[in-house]
């Protein structure tokens, strides 16, 4: 098992990492930054976690599933927080996080 | 300028990073590993560089173009090396690297 | 040239990356988050850039110096912004950024 | 809990990540690369995992301990493999991996 079998989860993680970076950066430019504080914090954790999961999967690691199990939890938390805000970046981030959480749960199963 | 305008280059970088990781890992399992030594080395550098470029682009950094200029050089070197080998992982890696180099040159222009 | 010759710059980059992560996370918990917005944004860019430079140096890449040249610029920007705030995390981040910028300029020379 | 309380584990992870990159790159230049194949593969996984753990710790994530638990396993595997080889880079990598595994186990406890 490795890169090709895990491709849809790798892609979901990489997309989610990039969107989380974009969301965090966009949040710092919002009028009410304080309202976005938890969102920024979870975006940063989620971006790091998603990239780590993508790396271990693309390297074919035997620990990839374990990483994905944790990644699903962080994606859920980030997606839930982003889902509370009406900005475009939070909406697309919430969608990417929840899709990634789903892919990661399938991987971890 | 940021995430949405740079999306095709971000995607190319993320795909290239994942494929380079997969190629490096696969190279270590080839019968003749010595023949793959330069390929492994460049894959590792290319994966790191591509992910860095994707991160700075997705964060909307003013240095993103500079990163892409360097990334194009490393992608070219890695793609050229991978292009010398007939394994499936090297072939798909060469293609991803050369596509990413092209996207990065457009970004850096 | 590689890991051992570049060790002090690699260490400065890794320390700076970790402190930038810590500073960004701490900034989101400050009473006046809006005042910290630029700091968070530059911390995220600086953490990514410093880690990328550390990776390319530890891999012995021929592009390591180029990365360090860009890294010095981002570290200077981040250190200057952090230097405007009196919080402990910004003060230690400013110090780490300016030290890293100096190490990166020596590398790039 | 966060950056300052976890500093010795963060440092161990960052040092280990850099040394694993150096070891992987150095292994590709050895006369008998085939003998180093597993070492290269585990170095790549260990570098990615250690950096991920360092990031989540420096961001103060509630999942940091879980990451460290997995990181300890990968560090043990990599350190054991490196310990089989007499090259300088493998020896220093084995030492860094086993120290990092120990720090990560303390974190995860």
């Amino acid at each position: 098992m490795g890169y090709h079998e895990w491709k849809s989860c790798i892609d979901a993680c990489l997309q989610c990492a990039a969107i989380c970076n974009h969301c965090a950066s966009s949040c710092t430019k919002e009028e009410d930054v304080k309202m976005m504080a938890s969102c920024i914090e979870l975006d940063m954790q989620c971006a790091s976690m998603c990239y780590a999961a993508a790396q271990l999967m693309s390297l074919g690691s035997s620990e990839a599933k374990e990483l994905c199990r944790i990644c699903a939890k962080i994606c859920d938390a980030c997606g839930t927080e982003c889902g509370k805000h009406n900005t475009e970046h939070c909406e697309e981030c919430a969608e990417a996080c929840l899709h990634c959480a789903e892919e990661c749960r399938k991987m971890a199963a």
Side-chain angles (χ1 to χ4, degrees), chain A residues 12-14 16-17 20 45-55 71 75 100:
Chain A
C13 285
L14 293 174
C16 193
C20 282
Q45 293 180 26
C46 196
S48 292
M49 188 67 226
C50 283
Y51 186 59
Q55 275 194 304
C71 193
C75 285
C100 189

Side-chain angles (χ1 to χ4, degrees), chain A residues 12-28 36 38-51 71 74-82 88-101:
Chain A
C13 285
L14 293 174
Q15 290 299 315
C16 193
I19 285 174
C20 282
N21 278 335
H22 167 60
C23 185
S25 165
S26 302
C27 282
T28 66
M36 300 310 201
S38 296
C39 196
I40 296 169
E41 209 181 359
L42 287 164
D43 279 337
M44 293 191 295
Q45 293 180 26
C46 196
S48 292
M49 188 67 226
C50 283
Y51 186 59
C71 193
I74 295 182
C75 285
D76 273 335
C78 189
T80 301
E81 180 60 32
C82 283
E88 197 194 318
H89 52 85
C90 284
E91 282 169 8
E92 66 186 351
C93 193
E95 194 184 345
C97 286
L98 298 178
H99 172 63
C100 189

